[in-house]
Amino acid sequence: APAPAAPAAGVAPPPPGGMYLGPGAAIDPSQMLTSVGSTSFIEDDDDGGGGGDAPAALDEADVRAAAREAASGGRVLDVSGRGLGALPLDKLLEQLCDLPAPTEDFDSSTALQRVTALRVGGNRLATINSGGGASILLSQMRGLRVVDGTRNKLQQLPAALTALAVEEIHVAYNSLSVAAVETLIRPPAAGGGGGGVLFGALRHVDLSANSLDAIPPSLCALPKVDTIKLANNRLTSLYASGGGWVCATPSLAHLDLSSNQLVDLGELP
């Protein structure tokens, strides 16, 4: 068999182990004492149709079609790749509850609980939680496990997600700050007062290509997380914002820090 091709001139191969620092990382190899899991690379996802001159909008037929598809057995509410400037989430969820039963076992009173994935990527959304009653309806989606808002203009995520057992959040290519992430992913409050459900359930968090200049502290303490993607941000250190990296993530297997400006690995777990 022919020998594998040599790396291009000036390009070093990725280090062994589970952390890919990428070409933008300025790290002394002597600092690299620990690796996590297997090598991870950022995917360059297609924006799914977010282009065009003016933001699009969902008409009533689109709303009915999306709700009908979510209720038909796929259990995925999908309005991705439409170039939407706003998401009438309240209308979508209301329509889902009002649909005639597509199957004999369909119960409109539990329609929201049946949805396992919300996909709104490839749009132009600054927020997912639009519409007057969206927050209340979203809080009833107790079966929701995946939220995909990749390639939008998101500056915040719905507060209602904090109380849901979502396992995967994919929000690469947005404008989320450290403060926005901390507002959503927070540990249980002392005395059991709010928060904590999302914190205890998350396994996969993709915050690649956002507006992070530090690692959100809550990411460092997620008890079940196995994948954290922070590529293409403005990170210079692995110290979390407001403190050091507190290694309370025993299940972490994949950590992607490629294309940042790292000069300090801190206390790498």
Side-chain angles (χ1 to χ4, degrees):
V11 177
M19 184 176 66
Y20 177 62
L21 299 175
I27 293 293
D28 182 345
S30 65
Q31 289 183 292
M32 300 184 62
L33 302 178
T34 310
S35 62
V36 185
S38 57
T39 304
S40 174
F41 296 87
I42 185 171
E43 298 91 353
D44 185 13
D45 298 315
D46 184 9
D47 66 9
D53 294 332
L58 286 180
D59 58 26
E60 292 186 8
D62 293 329
V63 170
R64 286 195 299 270
R68 189 178 299 111
E69 180 65 25
S72 66
R75 301 192 178 188
V76 176
L77 188 56
D78 189 349
V79 289
S80 58
R82 296 170 183 257
L84 300 175
L87 178 66
L89 186 59
D90 55 344
K91 293 182 179 179
L92 279 165
L93 300 183
E94 288 170 0
Q95 181 67 44
L96 183 58
C97 294
D98 292 341
L99 281 175
T103 60
E104 291 184 0
D105 64 345
F106 182 80
D107 181 357
S108 62
S109 67
T110 61
L112 294 177
Q113 300 176 29
R114 293 166 59 91
V115 177
T116 60
L118 176 62
R119 302 192 183 279
V120 297
N123 288 296
R124 301 183 183 183
L125 304 175
T127 179
I128 296 175
N129 198 23
S130 57
S135 180
I136 295 175
L137 292 169
L138 185 59
S139 67
Q140 298 176 29
M141 299 177 70
R142 290 185 285 274
L144 193 63
R145 296 295 178 263
V146 177
V147 174
D148 186 351
T150 303
R151 291 190 182 274
N152 277 286
K153 299 180 179 181
L154 295 174
Q155 299 179 16
Q156 60 182 2
L157 292 169
L161 293 178
T162 302
L164 300 178
V166 175
E167 297 178 355
E168 299 183 21
I169 291 182
H170 303 264
V171 285
Y173 297 96
N174 280 287
S175 300
L176 295 167
S177 65
V178 172
V181 175
E182 286 296 286
T183 298
L184 180 71
I185 304 173
R186 62 180 189 269
V197 177
L198 176 67
F199 181 86
L202 273 175
R203 297 181 181 275
H204 183 115
V205 183
D206 189 351
L207 288 162
S208 304
N210 273 277
S211 299
L212 304 180
D213 54 9
I215 296 177
S218 292
L219 289 183
C220 306
L222 291 170
K224 294 183 179 179
V225 71
D226 58 50
T227 299
I228 298 176
K229 296 185 177 183
L230 299 171
N232 286 284
N233 280 287
R234 300 194 302 270
L235 306 179
T236 59
S237 171
L238 294 196
Y239 283 105
S241 174
W245 180 292
V246 180
C247 185
T249 53
S251 57
L252 184 62
H254 305 279
L255 176 62
D256 186 349
L257 300 168
S258 58
S259 297
N260 277 286
Q261 302 168 23
L262 291 170
V263 295
D264 183 3
L265 288 179
E267 299 176 5
L268 185 67

